[in-house]
Amino acid sequence: MATTSTLDTLNIALPAKLPLDSGQELENVCIAYQTYGELNADRSNAILVCHALTGDQHLASPHPITGKPGWWQRIVGPGLPLDTDKFHIICSNVIGSCMGSTGPASLAPDGKPYGMRFPVITIRDMVRAQIAMLDVMGIERLHGVVGGSMGGMQALSLSANFPERAARIMVIASTARHSAQNIAYHEVGRQAIMADPAWQGGDYYGSGQTPDKGLAVARMAAHITYLSEAGLTEKFGRRLQNRPNGEKGEKSFGFDADFQVESYLRYQGLSFTDRFDANSYLYITRATDYFDLAEEHGGRLADAFTDTKSRFCVVSFDTDWLYPTAESRNIVHALNASSAPVSFVELSAPYGHDSFLLNVPALDRVIKGFLEG
Amino acid sequence: MATTSTLDTLNIALPAKLPLDSGQELENVCIAYQTYGELNADRSNAILVCHALTGDQHLASPHPITGKPGWWQRIVGPGLPLDTDKFHIICSNVIGSCMGSTGPASLAPDGKPYGMRFPVITIRDMVRAQIAMLDVMGIERLHGVVGGSMGGMQALSLSANFPERAARIMVIASTARHSAQNIAYHEVGRQAIMADPAWQGGDYYGSGQTPDKGLAVARMAAHITYLSEAGLTEKFGRRLQNRPNGEKGEKSFGFDADFQVESYLRYQGLSFTDRFDANSYLYITRATDYFDLAEEHGGRLADAFTDTKSRFCVVSFDTDWLYPTAESRNIVHALNASSAPVSFVELSAPYGHDSFLLNVPALDRVIKGFLEG
């Protein structure tokens, strides 16, 4: 297995060119990944976890840039929902991203960074790369695939396009297609990045300038959609910031961050630029906007699951207004129509879309039950 | 009456300095306004219409820059809900704006544009300026005040702070305080503007550069909140743009506006910059974020209406997620608690927050009935 360890991660160089939905091919593709728990002798206990838009392979290991715990650290380990005593958990960075897998910051065959010469990719392309990785690993059939948000799109796409490759498909807080509103928010983010002169048409690598301001605005706009209105109200309401000198918060009658929610959002925007590449944000948001599983199957979602041999579990959250429960029901109806075994639950959690990343014990139980059932 | 006609509008120079909530005073304040219908002999038939965030005084007359019909043209005229046979309709541009009333683009006493030296204003400050305008006009008591969105905030503030000045208060698609989510969206817009190097700390007047890119992104982000998810889906769904050469829409596998909703949003952002000043956007969003009518009255909203002599009408729309019906109910409960006569209706309309500006016949009937009752 052609693996190397750089940047605190494992890497696989794909042996062949990767065909893309655009008709192009991607050469010299590298997939960065992490694993947790041992692969058993017959290679039958592997679970692929697919990460969300700005996630990465550091599922349960410290992030190499921020030093923060893995994004699903809470549920990975012996006896935990992603049980490392039983399963070999694999999480790989999607192509187009910036944590080691080939993306717009990678070097093109001409030795210069791709920038906007990187081909536009789709969710299915991301999945093709993961299947190619599994081929290198010698894993024929996964015990399961689990993904939240964009990770759920990958799980759906894998089940539709590679129906033999996974026994269990778990789709959390996700959708089978991006809505007009979803596309609209992403377009705001892309325009914010491309409006930043430091973006330089995407050729900012090595220029000493990166479009951090535009990327921060994109993140701020998107971040609002990850939270519930009620959650924001409970967390911040209209509470004012205390001043650095310890003064109790008062309106400044200026444009400083008076409200705690302003300060929080600014921090979210700013800190994001430390760990994420603006071009990757463009490409990955584009991939999710292009996602429409029914369209790929003649316009009828049920036809995406005709050949499925998997069991499904679909989970939504009652406060998620980015991918509301209706989107999950849409998936469940299509699975029912194609006679696929599916369990569905709408969980109650106050955190909006981000619930899938946060401490929701009911979700932990659903994950454990589904993967061990 | 010190009125002049410039820029296709009427102007009043306020005779005294305007005291502001910040503790500052604003000198040489000019109020730009329009009127429709005759003022009667005892000056008792005047209705003040308060405009929304990016609205203006051109209620029912062509916009001097865009040439488009007035923003409420549809309902102003003989026999219409704002009946010019019966009423003298006044609509004035709020201070801080950019259509003739004093704002950040106006000249400060030193002869240079204020820019960010313009004082931060509040909704109450806007109302103070309107009351000063009415004083110049010799209008003691309005037949009514009508406002949608930020206009509704002004109507509420007028009733709380100048309870003798209006017989009827009509609040449409509005709120008594900006929520954390409302503030968050505005903060994204402000950061988008201030991230644009052309903003130049607000001193862009006369520089030949204006922060159009930042302002366009701000408008795009805000515009999404004005529409309903269902409305966006119905209007655009995932339909693709036809290409300029007439080719049927296909995915470009690039970053052009493939989806109609992208193209629509880009147009909304771009066209906004033709008619609006970025600094005004900063100041007016700040004013709405600061708005909390209960806070101004010891934390109890009902106390804002203790001295009211007015009748109230509150209208919300079922698809408005910017200022949802719950916010209107909050106002109605406070009015009930202070024994003020109030009628309340939640109207069904598919357009989200923007319903108050669009063709909703039920709204027309409610307006006409309330103002003539």
Side-chain angles (χ1 to χ4, degrees), chain B residues 150-174:
Chain B
M150 189 184 84
M153 298 179 201
Q154 293 164 66
L156 287 168
S157 180
L158 189 148
S159 91
N161 293 291
F162 304 93
E164 313 281 351
R165 300 298 291 256
R168 292 166 191 77
I169 305 283
M170 180 155 202
V171 180
I172 306 168
S174 192

Side-chain angles (χ1 to χ4, degrees), chain A residues 57-348:
Chain A
Q57 69 272 34
H58 299 285
L59 180 70
S61 31
H63 192 282
I65 297 170
T66 66
K68 287 188 184 167
W71 56 270
W72 242 359
Q73 187 85 53
R74 193 174 50 76
I75 62 166
V76 181
L80 293 176
L82 293 169
D83 192 340
T84 50
D85 282 345
K86 293 178 181 152
F87 302 117
H88 177 64
I89 317 287
I90 306 164
C91 187
S92 70
N93 191 216
V94 297
I95 56 166
S97 188
C98 51
M99 288 301 290
S101 291
T102 300
S106 303
L107 300 185
D110 67 0
K112 293 177 191 152
Y114 277 105
M116 299 305 285
R117 300 179 303 159
F118 193 76
V120 165
I121 50 161
T122 65
I123 297 292
R124 182 158 55 183
D125 294 333
M126 294 176 185
V127 170
R128 282 196 187 101
Q130 285 166 321
I131 293 289
M133 170 190 77
L134 294 172
D135 288 344
V136 173
M137 290 171 168
I139 296 171
E140 268 294 302
R141 184 168 167 86
L142 293 160
H143 179 83
V145 181
V146 181
S149 195
M150 189 184 82
M153 298 178 200
Q154 293 164 66
L156 287 169
S157 180
L158 189 147
S159 90
N161 293 291
F162 304 93
E164 313 281 351
R165 300 296 294 253
R168 291 167 191 77
I169 305 283
M170 182 155 201
V171 179
I172 307 168
S174 192
T175 179
R177 59 144 176 65
H178 241 211
S179 73
Q181 194 183 62
N182 296 153
I183 295 169
Y185 276 110
H186 276 175
E187 175 65 3
V188 169
R190 286 190 293 265
Q191 291 296 317
I193 290 167
M194 297 196 281
D196 187 333
W199 180 60
Q200 304 166 65
D203 289 332
Y204 50 82
Y205 305 111
S207 74
Q209 281 198 313
T210 48
D212 290 350
K213 287 185 174 176
L215 181 59
V217 168
R219 178 64 167 180
M220 288 172 68
H223 197 81
I224 301 172
T225 70
Y226 303 155
L227 309 173
S228 69
E229 201 276 334
L232 268 176
T233 299
E234 195 188 312
K235 198 166 179 177
F236 304 110
R238 292 183 48 83
R239 282 188 292 283
L240 295 160
Q241 278 277 95
N242 288 328
R243 296 291 157 204
N245 59 11
E247 266 183 274
K248 197 174 162 300
E250 283 192 19
K251 286 179 190 152
S252 69
F253 287 95
F255 290 90
D256 287 342
D258 278 356
F259 295 101
Q260 290 179 11
V261 67
E262 292 176 303
S263 156
Y264 168 79
L265 267 190
R266 288 185 191 186
Y267 173 79
Q268 291 296 330
L270 210 63
S271 61
F272 183 58
T273 65
D274 293 337
R275 70 171 180 89
F276 215 79
D277 178 55
N279 283 343
S280 283
Y281 196 82
L282 297 179
Y283 277 90
I284 300 179
T285 56
R286 199 52 160 169
T288 57
D289 289 350
Y290 272 8
F291 186 62
D292 184 347
L293 194 58
E295 187 198 61
E296 290 175 12
H297 294 83
R300 189 164 171 271
L301 186 57
D303 289 347
F305 306 113
T306 307
D307 301 321
T308 191
K309 306 282 185 300
S310 315
R311 293 200 294 123
F312 289 79
C313 179
V314 178
V315 180
S316 70
F317 294 98
D318 57 354
T319 55
D320 182 352
W321 60 276
L322 186 66
Y323 305 137
T325 292
E327 301 293 344
S328 285
R329 280 213 190 90
N330 186 33
I331 297 166
V332 172
H333 291 166
L335 287 165
N336 286 336
S338 55
S339 304
V342 54
S343 64
F344 166 57
V345 62
E346 180 191 59
L347 297 178
S348 191

Side-chain angles (χ1 to χ4, degrees), chain B residues 277-326:
Chain B
D277 178 56
N279 283 343
S280 283
Y281 196 82
L282 297 178
Y283 277 90
I284 300 179
T285 56
R286 198 54 159 168
T288 56
D289 289 349
Y290 272 7
F291 186 61
D292 183 349
L293 194 59
E295 187 198 62
E296 290 175 13
H297 294 85
R300 190 166 170 270
L301 185 57
D303 290 347
F305 306 113
T306 307
D307 302 321
T308 191
K309 307 281 185 299
S310 314
R311 292 200 295 124
F312 290 79
C313 178
V314 178
V315 180
S316 70
F317 294 98
D318 58 354
T319 55
D320 183 351
W321 60 276
L322 186 67
Y323 304 137
T325 292

Side-chain angles (χ1 to χ4, degrees), chain B residues 25 28 58 161 201 219 229 245-246 258 261 298 315:
Chain B
E25 289 180 322
N28 306 323
H58 299 286
N161 293 291
R219 178 63 167 182
E229 201 275 335
N245 59 9
D258 278 356
V261 66
V315 180

Side-chain angles (χ1 to χ4, degrees), chain B residues 1-3 10-15 31-36 39-44 46-48 88-92 129-142 165:
Chain B
M1 209 160 34
T3 66
L10 302 166
N11 292 280
I12 282 181
L14 297 186
I31 305 293
Y33 68 99
Q34 295 289 108
T35 68
Y36 311 90
L39 186 62
N40 61 10
D42 62 356
R43 298 170 184 259
S44 65
I47 291 175
L48 179 68
H88 178 64
I89 316 288
I90 307 165
C91 186
S92 69
Q130 285 167 322
I131 292 290
M133 172 190 76
L134 295 172
D135 288 345
V136 173
M137 291 172 167
I139 296 169
E140 267 296 299
R141 184 169 167 83
L142 293 160
R165 300 298 291 256

Side-chain angles (χ1 to χ4, degrees), chain B residues 165-209:
Chain B
R165 300 298 291 256
R168 292 166 191 77
I169 305 283
M170 180 155 202
V171 180
I172 306 168
S174 192
T175 179
R177 59 143 175 65
H178 241 211
S179 72
Q181 195 184 60
N182 297 152
I183 296 169
Y185 276 110
H186 276 175
E187 176 65 2
V188 169
R190 286 190 293 264
Q191 291 297 316
I193 290 167
M194 297 195 282
D196 188 333
W199 180 60
Q200 304 166 65
D203 289 332
Y204 51 82
Y205 304 111
S207 75
Q209 282 198 312

